[in-house]
Amino acid sequence: MKRCLSDKALMRLQAGDGSAEQRAHLSACGACGDRYRRVDRELETVRHVLLHTDEPSMLVVARRPSWVPVAAVAASLVTLAVWGHLAVRRPDAPASAMRPLPDEEASVFLRNVSLTMFSIDGRLAGSGPDIQVGGLPADTLDRAADCEWPEWSATGACGEAPDTGRLLNLFEPPQNDL
Amino acid sequence: MIGDGQANVERPPTYEELFEEHGRRLDRLCRLLLADREESREVVQEVFLKLHQAHSQPQPPGDWGAWLTRVAINVCRDRHRAGWWWRFRRRSDRIEDATLVSREPTPEEAAISKETWRRIWVAFRGLSDRQREVFVLRHLEGWPTETVARTLGLSAGSVKRHLFRAIRHLRAAAVGGSA
């Protein structure tokens, strides 16, 4: 190596780093040797200050933490809380699976369920006047709705004697399917 | 008498001798690493408490000086990790004490210009924790690079890199330039 070492290279050598070539140059070059010793003297000054002098009191005071980090953390938390609150209450937020149904919608839904449960041959029980349940007249169910068990009978109005034979027909398949 | 003399040469150092020999050095080391006089005193007390426990062990460490330094560095690191809120509370409580610090400069301080002295301390406090530890152990304690690396759990190359950055920063402060 013919060129003199840079300051950076000298400090690397001070730190125990640097290549063998740089070390060889340092031992051969008088100018670089002088510069290296100057760096050493400067570091000796640093050592002396750190070992034998007290730290300036103003540094101790200046290093004391201020309210800035505390305020920054608090502001972040408040922002997060406000954002979370707004996100939950946003009107255009996607509908939740747990959204309660309106009364009207619920009643339509329940009616459909009950009609489906009492459907016969795929036809809804309340879908037309021609539908008969197990051979009963169409108005039987309407009349039965006005009665309370056990007063209701399959044939008559409230208070009449029940006709159990007709009632059992409810659970038998219609004749025309056979 | 000869037998007593031989026994004296081979006997391990007592607790009091170790305290006498290393107490001030560890206090200075902790003050450099923690930058807090009160806290460094607490750390030194903790280190010597550990020494008291280790001293009665059947197999004590061979090199008490290195052992004490290692323990002191670990306790200082624990203090750093203890959380900023705890440190903030402690420092905030003592703000009145710090403003009372005022004294005449020592002859060493007078020999070095006040500006250089201040710049060096500012630069030293501007180092990262790792750079500060490496510089203190390598240049102020005079440890070899390999021992510093082993103690801090770093590779030798990493120690050299940290040391180079610390030297560049501190040298710039000593000559009055910027790193």
Side-chain angles (χ1 to χ4, degrees), chain A residues 7-9 11-12 14-17 35 38-40 42-43 45-61 63-67 69-70 73, chain B residues 28 31-32 35 37 84-85 88 91-92 94-95 98 101 103 106 108-109 112 116-118 120-122 124-125 135 139-140 160-161 163-164 167-168 170-171 174-175:
Chain A
D7 275 5
K8 200 173 169 182
M11 285 187 277
R12 281 202 187 282
Q14 273 284 348
D17 218 346
R35 286 170 57 223
R38 199 174 68 222
V39 173
D40 206 23
E42 287 157 4
L43 284 179
T45 305
V46 171
R47 272 193 288 269
H48 178 80
V49 167
L50 296 178
L51 287 176
H52 301 294
T53 68
D54 281 344
E55 191 168 358
S57 56
M58 61 179 179
L59 282 186
V60 178
V61 175
R63 224 178 21 255
R64 188 161 284 120
S66 67
W67 281 103
V70 181
V73 171
Chain B
R28 188 191 63 222
R31 270 164 65 180
L32 286 170
R37 194 182 294 259
W84 62 271
W85 178 245
F88 175 76
R91 289 184 177 190
S92 300
R94 295 205 313 271
I95 197 159
V101 175
R103 57 172 184 75
T106 62
E108 289 87 1
E109 287 169 11
I112 299 166
T116 305
W117 165 69
R118 196 193 64 82
I120 289 172
W121 274 109
V122 169
F124 183 71
R125 290 295 164 216
F135 185 82
H139 275 274
L140 304 186
K160 288 172 186 173
R161 277 192 295 278
L163 191 58
F164 163 68
I167 287 174
R168 190 171 59 173
L170 291 169
R171 183 181 167 244
V175 298

Side-chain angles (χ1 to χ4, degrees), chain A residues 133-161:
Chain A
V133 179
L136 294 175
D139 64 336
T140 303
L141 287 174
D142 293 336
R143 283 190 287 124
D146 298 333
C147 301
E148 289 183 7
W149 187 268
E151 289 181 339
W152 174 71
S153 71
T155 54
C158 301
E160 292 178 7

Side-chain angles (χ1 to χ4, degrees), chain B residues 71-139:
Chain B
V71 172
I73 287 171
N74 286 334
V75 176
C76 287
R77 283 182 170 182
D78 288 346
R79 295 279 171 141
H80 275 298
R81 288 194 210 105
W84 62 271
W85 178 245
W86 180 79
R87 294 170 70 82
F88 175 76
R89 285 282 305 276
R90 287 187 80 249
R91 289 184 177 190
S92 300
D93 291 347
R94 295 205 313 271
I95 197 159
E96 293 83 9
D97 302 344
T99 55
L100 297 175
V101 175
S102 175
R103 57 172 184 75
E104 291 297 312
T106 62
E108 289 87 1
E109 287 169 11
I112 299 166
S113 79
K114 194 174 178 182
E115 184 54 30
T116 305
W117 165 69
R118 196 193 64 82
R119 268 202 317 264
I120 289 172
W121 274 109
V122 169
F124 183 71
R125 290 295 164 216
L127 298 177
S128 70
D129 287 346
R130 191 65 92 189
Q131 288 168 2
R132 203 176 301 127
E133 284 173 356
V134 167
F135 185 82
V136 166
L137 291 180
R138 181 74 186 84
H139 275 274

